[in-house]
Amino acid sequence: MTQAALTHPPAAPAPAPAPAPRGLLGRAADRVDRVEWSGWLGPIGVALFAGLLRFWNLGHPNAFVFDETYYPKDAWSLLQQGYEGSWPDHANTDILAVPQSVPLTSAPEFIAHPPLGKWVIAIGEQLFGLHPFGWRFMTALLGTVTVLMLARIGRRLFGSALIGCTAALLMAVDGLQLVMSRIGLLDGVQMFFVLAAFGSLLIDRDHARARLAEAADGDLVRLGLRPWRIAAGVFVGAACAVKWNGVMILAAFGILTVLWDQSGRRGAGARHPWRSMLGRDAVPAFLAMVGSAFVVYVGAWGGWLASGGNGGGGYDRQWADGRAGLSPDSFLGFPLPQVSMSWVPAPLRSLWHYHSQMYDFNTGLSTPHTYQSNPFSWLVMGRPVSMYWEQVPNGQQGCTSSGGCAAQILGLGTPLLWWTACFALAYLLWRWFFRRDWRSGAVLCAVAGIYLPWFQYQERTVFSFYMVVLVPFLCLAVAQMLGAILGPAGCTPERRRIGAAAAGLIVLAIVACFAFFYPLYTAEVIPMSGWQDRMWFTSWI
């Protein structure tokens, strides 16, 4: 303290002006962020609401819904044999019959996707048996936990419990996420792992910034072991072990984390932040992300690798036995010299051969399907997938309509939410490009890694329900835009009242839209006239 300060102490500060009266919505919005327990109580409350929607009457319909004809049976085969066996044509009928018959054979079946998602589904089957509730249990559980994670991630990303809970509420009432949480398909499982990886990277970013803030030299500091970045690699590796498009998400998240390292070093006063990042962070980031992802991916094939005794086992498990094997003769069109690969264990060479067949199948699939769609239409829900349909005559299953009834499961995102998300993504692009807002950039990076790679498969048979992995990030985008509508800190009470009313009306409209379409998400029996009222576009039929 200077001598002047000692001899002339500062004058007492002027009393702060009394706060102006606040509207009800404005006071409620501020109170949510002030209450200490809201950091967990709010997210848990939203997650319980989401869980109620996802678990209520989960075993209905008592049928194989869309691609449930594949994955639940594969999951049961993994439980029994460690690999996917084959099933006769009448297997679905036998499984749903009373008494049940499970006609699984030991003959291997060619499978187009890695096994981890089916291992996850198998947990529910192990607990509750091979019936609809059993094979849908884990997707419903993960769909619920994902809502809880999104609330916490949104709170960490935006520094606001209100915005985080708003994002979680929006996902709780998204129709596509609800549908994919109530059927035994792989995409909901992948969504969980992708969001967990994103959340892990956020925690790693905060921990790294805390260390950089304590550093004397932003160029020389070493950040040491970063367990949350390793965790991110584990989760995104698990996403790859569910479906292969996780590889592009791994690349996007890898770029994101090293860019965060560069900006963190720059903020810590580094004179050469790019050089410091490349020299001290890039290689550890690669090893943490790609290395751990690779270990998880190969580990997911453990059941297949362990099979193969007495010449049996999974599909092509014995392919490399007795073969010397040669390395590929080209890579990306460039010729390569071939060398013997006999030093690689035969099971791993067989796995590589199996992957080449899977790659050819997945990239060459072009069989027309009634509900296939182009990625350009996915954000606006141009062509949702009808996953279950039953026409119910009058007098059956509670139908009292003279014109008959219908029960459908339609993979349709809540329309007002998705259409609002289109504007929100444009807002985030503006924020990122003109304001250099890192939060907007993080959400956009995830959107790009999930969505854009599908555009290279214009001729492939693809479906809009793949975008369930995108739903958490669309909800974050909408919640961020609603936060901006609510008003920045320090704005006038009148501005906050108007913003709170506008943001609240948008959320209420989305919830009301979800409630209107809810029967189409849960195969509820409704009059045909009610079903027709919900077919807003002919492309939805």
Side-chain angles (χ1 to χ4, degrees), residues 176 180 187 371-375 377-379 381-387 411-413 418 462-469:
L176 182 59
M180 300 305 291
D187 304 82
Y371 287 101
Q372 72 182 73
S373 56
N374 190 285
S377 70
W378 287 354
L379 279 180
M381 290 281 101
R383 182 61 171 165
V385 178
S386 180
M387 299 187 174
L412 174 72
W418 283 68
V462 291
F463 302 94
S464 60
F465 69 81
Y466 298 165
M467 286 296 95
V468 70
V469 185

Side-chain angles (χ1 to χ4, degrees), residues 40 73 120 156 162 183 191 198 207 210 276 290 301 306 312 323 335 425 450 456 475:
W40 276 106
K73 290 185 294 186
V120 171
R156 179 175 290 271
L162 176 62
I183 58 177
M191 173 194 62
F198 183 79
H207 289 185
S276 301
V290 178
W301 287 89
R323 296 174 185 257
L425 291 177
I450 295 167
Q456 64 183 315
C475 294

